[in-house]
Amino acid sequence: MKKILCLDGVEPMNATRHVVQIVPRFFPTACGVGDYARLLAAEWQRRPGLVSSFLVADEHWSGSQQPESGGARRMMRSVCEDWTDLVGQPLSGVVLQYSGYGYARRGAPLWLVRTLRSFRRRFPQVPLITMFHEVAAAGPVSTSSFWLRPLQLYVALCLRALSDREMTNCEVNARVLETLPGMKRRKLVVQPVYSNFGEVSSGASWVQRVRRIVVFNSNFGEQAPTARFWLELAAAAGIVTASTVTMIGRPVEVPPGLSFQVVQPGFLAAEEVSAILADSAFGYVFHGPLLLGKSGVFAAFAAHGVVPLIQTNSDVLPDGLIEGKTFHALRHSLPADAAAYFEQIRLNVQAWYLPHSLAATAEVYGGLLDGHRLVGGGV
């Protein structure tokens, strides 16, 4: 006999609350969204009475015997019978960690809409919270992202209509979601991502740190760094007088004749990355300055008090980021007292991070789940 969910929406007093998170990929597969969900579940686990399981959309995922994959099962793509198999206690909510390309090759997972629509009809009392890590791709008319964007926006519209509450990680995504047609006006929570590489409560002062620039190679994807990247990085190192650049992740070919040493430790455990960041003076941001709220790299820098160095022509960026306050724009010269200037940025960027730290974000999710069924919907 199959176990059923708590269909009347009433949980016993002092019952353990069970939340299922839907993720595109999961441990041991490398996935930023999967790591985000796993850390969130671990934070909930520290709080009495709240546990989380996972449904993994990756058709090739076969699970793992490691503790990090406990309570995870592969998600079926047609019906929601697997929900009832997974849950052996009243279900307090479902959290969809959404990034279109994680669920479908072209970034428009219509199968996910169908599955969640079926779930909502079957279990209307169980709240669904959707976190939009991504909404829709954009690009010139010569790229597939241009032609796929309308379909990706349609999927986002469907998911928003099916959800009780929605979150996203940056103001740019929020503006796209708020302009979707046919939606009732309701508050959209903007919560920049937390660090997947740990956090420090205060950290070393700027003058105590190694004059090192940290770069995350993940932003290169499968491509090699361009000649322009190396020229701009060399200029950045010269501006802040950094003698070492540590490049974390897949090793890349380093050109000869650089004025600084390049250290490539490869892929590291989160604790090892955190140790490097905790005593590093600078972090180099060379990708997507308008989308830093969704950047796990920027979150890692902020969480460790690493001064972000950014290639940007704007002094005011979305998500409350201001040049000279929470980052240094490399087109500007440094003030006479550079040490005091960088120390203030270190303090400010950590203060900026605190409202969306892991613990703070867990509280936000909990509040949304506690206020479930604020708005009903379905498509």
Side-chain angles (χ1 to χ4, degrees):
M1 179 185 234
K2 289 192 173 183
K3 298 167 184 176
I4 61 171
L5 305 174
C6 183
L7 298 183
D8 59 5
V10 178
E11 298 176 7
M13 292 293 291
N14 301 319
T16 297
R17 297 191 299 164
H18 186 192
V19 177
V20 170
Q21 294 191 74
I22 304 173
V23 294
R25 290 177 290 274
F26 199 61
F27 185 90
T29 305
C31 176
V33 174
D35 289 343
Y36 174 100
R38 182 169 55 86
L39 290 171
L40 181 61
E43 181 65 25
W44 281 338
Q45 192 72 35
R46 297 186 185 97
R47 301 157 189 251
L50 182 58
V51 296
S52 177
S53 297
F54 303 91
L55 284 178
V56 184
D58 183 1
E59 292 181 296
H60 304 291
W61 185 82
S62 57
S64 167
Q65 299 303 312
Q66 299 297 320
E68 289 89 340
S69 65
R73 290 192 181 182
R74 190 161 60 84
M75 184 178 187
M76 310 309 293
R77 294 201 168 200
S78 55
V79 296
C80 55
E81 291 182 357
D82 52 329
W83 298 83
T84 54
D85 288 337
L86 180 67
V87 179
Q89 54 194 302
L91 184 60
S92 300
V94 174
V95 174
L96 170 62
Q97 304 289 358
Y98 181 71
S99 177
Y101 283 96
Y103 291 92
R105 183 168 175 266
R106 296 296 186 182
L110 295 170
W111 71 267
L112 182 62
V113 173
R114 291 191 294 268
T115 299
L116 290 175
R117 183 184 294 134
S118 174
F119 170 76
R120 294 317 311 256
R121 288 171 179 165
R122 190 172 180 185
F123 306 118
Q125 290 83 6
V126 178
L128 171 63
I129 310 298
T130 297
M131 171 57 154
F132 288 93
H133 293 271
E134 307 275 357
V135 179
V141 69
S142 59
T143 63
S144 62
S145 58
F146 176 88
W147 300 102
L148 290 168
R149 183 175 173 85
L151 183 57
Q152 293 172 357
L153 289 173
Y154 170 74
V155 171
L157 171 64
C158 292
L159 293 176
R160 191 165 188 206
L162 286 165
S163 303
D164 295 293
R165 293 299 300 270
E166 312 89 55
M167 302 170 61
T168 191
N169 47 29
C170 65
E171 292 177 3
V172 172
N173 281 351
R175 287 197 290 270
V176 174
L177 289 166
E178 287 169 349
T179 58
L180 292 176
M183 291 304 305
K184 296 178 181 178
R185 298 294 296 177
R186 60 185 177 194
K187 184 175 176 59
L188 178 69
V189 177
V190 179
Q191 187 77 359
V193 299
Y194 43 79
S195 167
N196 284 355
F197 298 103
E199 304 166 346
V200 295
S201 56
S202 56
S205 67
W206 186 82
V207 295
Q208 295 174 314
R209 294 172 180 248
V210 178
R211 298 301 183 268
R212 173 198 299 132
I213 297 176
V214 177
V215 176
F216 281 85
N217 291 352
S218 55
N219 282 332
F220 298 125
E222 297 300 319
Q223 304 299 314
T226 63
R228 178 177 176 178
F229 165 81
W230 291 112
L231 287 172
E232 291 180 341
L233 179 60
I239 290 169
V240 299
T241 62
S243 59
T244 303
V245 172
T246 297
M247 304 183 74
I248 297 172
R250 178 181 62 85
V252 298
E253 184 176 351
V254 179
L258 295 176
S259 60
F260 50 87
Q261 179 188 14
V262 175
V263 177
Q264 298 196 79
F267 293 99
L268 301 173
E271 296 80 8
E272 295 173 302
V273 175
S274 181
I276 291 173
L277 293 173
D279 74 346
S280 295
F282 304 106
Y284 188 55
V285 180
F286 59 95
H287 181 74
L290 299 180
L291 301 170
L292 294 179
K294 58 175 281 188
S295 169
V297 169
F298 190 85
F301 291 156
H304 291 84
V306 176
V307 174
L309 305 175
I310 302 181
Q311 298 284 1
T312 177
N313 292 322
S314 300
D315 287 346
V316 178
L317 298 177
D319 306 303
L321 297 169
I322 301 174
E323 199 284 328
K325 301 293 183 183
T326 49
F327 69 92
H328 175 69
L330 287 164
R331 75 180 196 282
H332 288 304
S333 58
L334 297 179
D337 191 350
Y341 170 74
F342 286 135
E343 173 65 7
Q344 194 58 54
I345 291 179
R346 180 189 77 83
L347 295 171
N348 289 344
V349 77
Q350 280 196 292
W352 171 87
Y353 176 81
L354 284 177
H356 48 90
S357 66
L358 176 56
T361 301
E363 290 287 348
V364 171
Y365 276 100
L368 293 179
L369 290 164
D370 287 342
H372 68 273
R373 301 309 297 171
L374 295 179
V375 179
V379 293

